[in-house]
Amino acid sequence: FLIGESTPTLTGADLAAWRARHGLTQQAAADRLGVRQGTVSKAESRGAGALGPALREALTGVLAKERGAA
């Protein structure tokens, strides 16, 4: 998976909204995304700030799978 210009900008607020939609704790979201709980917490605290590359890629992949299952 290559991150290019077509990759959407995802923010901490997007991450928090996704987590809330699924009723996940920060730890459960972190487990699902393959990152640490602190990474989720820090990203969400940035609100409108863009996610870092690893977290953005993980969340993009999860969102793509969800769209495919819908």
Side-chain angles (χ1 to χ4, degrees):
F1 179 80
L2 296 175
I3 297 176
E5 292 181 27
S6 62
T7 301
T9 299
L10 293 170
T11 66
D14 294 325
L15 175 60
W18 170 79
R19 190 171 65 78
R21 260 195 324 272
H22 292 284
L24 299 172
T25 63
Q26 286 184 344
Q27 184 62 60
D31 292 345
R32 201 160 173 186
L33 295 169
V35 299
R36 294 181 175 185
Q37 180 273 328
T39 302
V40 172
S41 176
K42 189 181 291 186
E44 288 184 358
S45 73
R46 291 188 185 124
L51 298 179
L55 189 51
R56 182 180 65 234
E57 184 175 343
L59 184 56
T60 298
V62 168
L63 293 172
K65 287 179 184 175
E66 289 175 359
R67 281 192 296 272

